[in-house]
């Protein structure tokens, strides 16, 4: 049983002023594995004051100093890689395969930031002016539970690159993961107050960050609903916002694709991170006249997907993070059936032998219409909807008929054709014939999937304010 009863302010682990506690429950067994003492408004204000005091010196650091800090952070996080993976499996229920990849992404955020920083000009000549890109100030970072340390590392690495200081509020459900990453980052030896980490609830700590006048920008990753609340409140103090929100990503299987290759990729895209991924490809658009072929391949691929204990090396899908999330996914599966979609595989209830945890049967619906709620709303579990199309134009139309626009996928044996289709999809990132990530390229959403971009030079610019100087 792990009791997390400290938060991190001004370079030290301190007891919070807040006294409320939150139970940490294993998603695999639903047994209590720890508790976290939650910070309150006073703690948040203390963290903001500390970040504000640190800003004066930190905003004036040189590129070389920031690179040295990023390198120290990288080394400190890398040293505890195995523990970081293990705690993600234990607390969040991430399958070992995913936890390993996610932790490696978190670690690589620092070298990626260094590379970006080395090639970035903070002073530019535009017209007959000098433009200085200056640090925005104190940045509030609010993160979700589905890859907690990855978000903390990438946002913080960008803030350090920009010369900003930070107050971080992770999900209260990620407290054990947060504790470990905080210990790593503390070890890196940054100046006091440059980053502060406050455990707490969204409506308490998150709301205080959102309303406080000394926070210049919020970088938020989470649901579209909460993102809208933050954006509305942030405007009172004219905070800059970067919002990384939800998705309902389309995956277009063009008729010339190699289905034997494309279907396993489509299933992996739908079920990544146990389906709890903003970028999950949850709408598979297939040519109507090849549905039978698709059905057979999908069935055999999903039958081979392993649901089970997240610590097992061969597990593809672990438990949902909480009972609430499990129930939400179950409700959507029942809704899909009630809406008239047909179950191809999976369905309600838990897989046999996995009754103790929040395990879901990997589920695929066919006969889905794009106006059904299962095709429009983010389910955040291993549930795939297959939708048929008649022509390429119709496939693009269905792909774009969504409020979201985070990611899309296209499969084709003709790369030129796939690129032409990709160009017509309203999404922040389109993956052709593969699943991968580019840490230097911009990431973020069109439409209600967000505002702004993260990563690389595009991400760095959102932590800076341009100042034009005319002599
Ligand atoms: P959430 O929106 O419920 O919570 C995210 C964070 O916001 C948490 O730290 C929470 O405590 C905080 N919060 C809640 N209410 C708040 C308020 N009123 N003011 C300020 N902060 C508040 O999201 P979640 O359930 O933790 O995560 C799942 C969601 O995150 C999904 O919708 C998913 O698509 C999205 N997500 C998006 C991306 C992306 O990069 N676009 C990545 C991962 C997850």
């Amino acid at each position: 049983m792990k009791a997390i009863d400290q938060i991190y302010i001004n370079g030290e682990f301190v007891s919070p002023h807040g006294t409320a506690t939150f139970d940490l429950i294993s998603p695999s067994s639903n047994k209590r594995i720890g508790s976290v003492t939650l910070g309150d408004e006073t703690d948040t204000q203390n963290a903001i004051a500390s970040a504000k005091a640190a800003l004066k010196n930190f905003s004036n650091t040189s590129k070389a100093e920031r690179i040295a800090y990023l390198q120290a952070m990288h080394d400190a996080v890398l040293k505890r890689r195995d523990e970081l993976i293990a705690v993600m499996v234990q607390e969040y229920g991430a399958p070992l395969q995913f936890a390993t990849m996610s932790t490696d992404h978190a670690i690589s955020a620092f070298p990626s930031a260094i590379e970006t920083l080395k090639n970035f000009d903070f002073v530019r000549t535009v017209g007959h002016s000098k433009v200085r890109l200056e640090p925005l100030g104190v940045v509030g970072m609010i993160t979700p539970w589905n890859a907690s340390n990855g978000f903390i590392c990438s946002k913080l690495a960008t803030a350090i690159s920009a010369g900003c200081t930070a107050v971080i509020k992770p999900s209260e459900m990620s407290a054990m993961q947060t504790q470990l990453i905080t210990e790593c980052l503390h070890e890196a030896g940054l100046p006091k107050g440059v980053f502060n980490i406050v455990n707490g609830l969204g409506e308490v700590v998150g709301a205080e960050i959102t309303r406080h006048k000394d926070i210049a920008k919020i970088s938020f990753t989470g649901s579209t609903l909460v993102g809208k609340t933050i954006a509305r409140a942030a405007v009172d103090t004219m905070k800059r916002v970067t919002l990384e929100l939800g998705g309902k990503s389309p995956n277009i299987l063009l008729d010339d694709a190699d289905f034997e290759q494309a279907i396993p990729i489509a299933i992996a895209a739908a079920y990544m991170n146990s389906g709890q991924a903003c970028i999950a490809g949850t709408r598979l658009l297939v040519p109507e006249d090849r549905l039978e072929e698709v059905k057979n391949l999908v069935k055999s691929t999903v039958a081979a997907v392993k649901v089970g204990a997240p610590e097992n090396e061969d597990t593809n899908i672990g438990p949902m993070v909480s009972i609430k999330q499990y129930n939400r996914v179950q409700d959507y599966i029942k809704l899909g059936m009630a809406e008239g979609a047909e179950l191809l595989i999976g369905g309600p209830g838990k897989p046999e032998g996995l009754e103790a945890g929040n395990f879901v049967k990997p589920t695929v619906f066919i006969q889905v219409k794009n106006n059904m709620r299962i095709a429009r709303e983010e389910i955040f579990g291993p549930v795939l909807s297959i939708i048929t199309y008649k022509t390429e134009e119709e496939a693009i139309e269905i792909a774009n008929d969504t409020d979201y626009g985070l990611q899309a996928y296209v499969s084709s044996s003709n790369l030129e054709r796939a690129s032409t289709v990709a160009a017509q999809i309203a999404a922040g990132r389109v993956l052709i014939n593969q699943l991968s990530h580019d840490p230097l390229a911009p990431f973020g959403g069109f439409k209600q999937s967000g505002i702004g971009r993260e990563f690389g030079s595009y991400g760095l610019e959102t932590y800076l304010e341009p100042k034009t100087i005319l002599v």
Side-chain angles (χ1 to χ4, degrees):
M1 194 72 66
K2 180 120 180 152
I4 293 160
D5 53 8
Q6 293 194 311
I7 54 176
Y8 189 78
I9 297 182
N10 204 32
E12 285 172 35
F13 286 91
V14 295
S15 297
H17 173 267
T19 52
T21 58
F22 178 86
D23 284 343
L24 303 169
I25 308 291
S26 160
S28 302
S29 66
N30 277 311
K31 294 207 170 99
R32 186 167 168 260
I33 51 172
S35 74
V36 52
T37 307
L38 303 170
D40 63 9
E41 286 88 350
T42 303
D43 295 308
T44 315
Q45 288 155 11
N46 291 342
I48 296 170
S50 148
K52 187 182 177 188
L55 184 68
K56 202 166 170 230
N57 284 335
F58 199 70
S59 58
N60 286 311
T61 45
S62 66
K63 237 189 205 191
E65 284 171 291
R66 292 176 202 169
I67 288 173
Y69 288 135
L70 289 165
Q71 188 62 51
M73 292 161 96
H74 169 263
D75 298 347
V77 176
L78 180 63
K79 234 199 272 178
R80 300 186 73 179
R81 174 181 179 268
D82 293 349
E83 288 170 79
L84 287 161
I85 293 169
V87 73
M88 188 173 179
V89 172
Q90 185 197 10
E91 183 180 41
Y92 167 58
L96 186 60
Q97 298 168 359
F98 180 80
T100 303
M101 188 194 71
S102 176
T103 302
D104 286 340
H105 271 158
I107 297 167
S108 74
F110 300 103
S112 297
I114 291 173
E115 198 175 334
T116 301
L117 192 48
K118 277 184 181 159
N119 300 313
F120 194 86
D121 293 324
F122 286 91
V123 181
R124 302 167 186 183
T125 302
V126 180
H128 53 282
S129 304
K130 277 264 171 295
V131 176
R132 285 167 51 89
L133 297 175
E134 299 189 347
L136 263 172
V138 180
V139 179
M141 302 171 178
I142 303 177
T143 55
W145 41 257
N146 68 337
S148 184
N149 286 342
F151 299 121
I152 291 175
C153 288
S154 62
K155 289 181 196 297
L156 187 56
T158 314
I160 300 300
S161 305
C164 292
T165 59
V167 175
I168 304 170
K169 191 218 88 69
S171 168
E172 62 281 5
M173 284 195 279
S174 310
M176 285 163 60
Q177 296 162 80
T178 301
Q179 174 68 23
L180 189 55
I181 199 77
T182 311
E183 288 172 17
C184 297
L185 296 170
H186 173 69
E187 165 107 10
L190 269 67
K192 284 181 186 304
V194 167
F195 69 92
N196 305 269
I197 302 185
V198 184
N199 290 315
L201 297 179
E203 313 85 77
V204 180
V205 176
E208 182 62 23
I209 290 175
T210 308
R211 84 171 74 89
H212 201 290
K213 69 174 175 39
D214 290 336
I215 295 280
K217 168 195 168 87
I218 295 197
S219 176
F220 171 77
T221 299
S223 62
T224 295
L225 190 70
V226 172
K228 287 179 183 178
T229 308
I230 289 176
R232 277 188 209 104
V235 85
D236 282 341
T237 44
M238 216 47 91
K239 288 178 175 57
R240 281 63 180 141
V241 289
T242 299
L243 304 174
E244 293 291 352
L245 310 176
K248 192 75 195 177
S249 300
N251 184 349
I252 302 182
L253 210 62
L254 291 172
D255 54 10
D256 64 355
D258 175 346
F259 284 17
E260 301 260 349
Q261 272 184 19
I263 296 288
I265 293 177
I267 298 303
Y271 293 167
M272 68 171 86
N273 198 2
S274 308
Q276 300 175 121
C278 53
I279 52 175
T282 47
R283 289 185 298 142
L284 181 60
L285 313 189
V286 306
E288 191 179 69
D289 55 2
R290 297 192 53 193
L291 181 61
E292 284 312 308
E293 203 181 327
V294 169
K295 274 164 60 177
N296 290 336
L297 278 166
V298 166
K299 244 181 155 168
S300 58
T301 308
V302 174
V305 165
K306 278 229 154 95
V307 186
E311 58 274 18
N312 292 347
E313 269 177 26
D314 61 349
T315 292
N316 306 115
I317 298 183
M320 301 294 96
V321 70
S322 62
I323 290 189
K324 188 175 159 207
Q325 188 63 23
Y326 170 81
N327 288 334
R328 177 189 159 91
V329 177
Q330 293 299 315
D331 287 347
Y332 272 109
I333 294 175
K334 289 176 205 151
L335 175 70
M337 294 161 73
E339 282 182 308
E342 190 185 309
L343 275 174
L344 179 68
I345 189 164
K350 295 184 179 178
E352 222 182 289
L354 292 169
E355 289 78 10
N358 308 320
F359 295 94
V360 171
K361 294 180 193 160
T363 296
V364 180
F365 281 109
I366 50 171
Q367 310 297 349
V368 179
K369 300 280 167 264
N370 202 47
N371 60 4
M372 291 179 181
R373 282 182 58 200
I374 54 163
R376 305 205 74 80
E377 298 173 18
E378 190 180 47
I379 298 175
F380 235 53
V383 182
L384 173 66
S385 291
I386 296 183
I387 303 171
T388 55
Y389 66 84
K390 287 192 177 67
T391 61
E392 187 179 299
E393 292 67 35
E394 194 193 5
I396 295 165
E397 205 179 294
I398 298 171
N400 287 335
D401 178 16
T402 168
D403 291 336
Y404 294 110
L406 188 59
Q407 179 142 303
Y409 306 78
V410 180
S411 295
S412 168
S413 55
N414 178 340
L415 287 188
E416 209 180 307
R417 183 178 174 206
S419 301
T420 307
V421 169
Q424 296 172 75
I425 299 177
R429 186 164 72 177
V430 186
L431 304 186
I432 297 175
N433 291 343
Q434 46 123 0
L435 302 179
S436 69
H437 173 62
D438 185 345
L440 297 178
F443 175 76
F446 280 35
K447 301 193 275 184
Q448 295 193 32
S449 285
I451 296 178
R453 292 293 179 270
E454 294 196 289
F455 305 142
S457 60
Y458 289 88
L460 180 50
E461 284 192 7
T462 71
Y463 285 68
L464 299 163
E465 195 81 271
K467 180 190 283 176
T468 298
I469 301 179
L470 284 139
V471 181

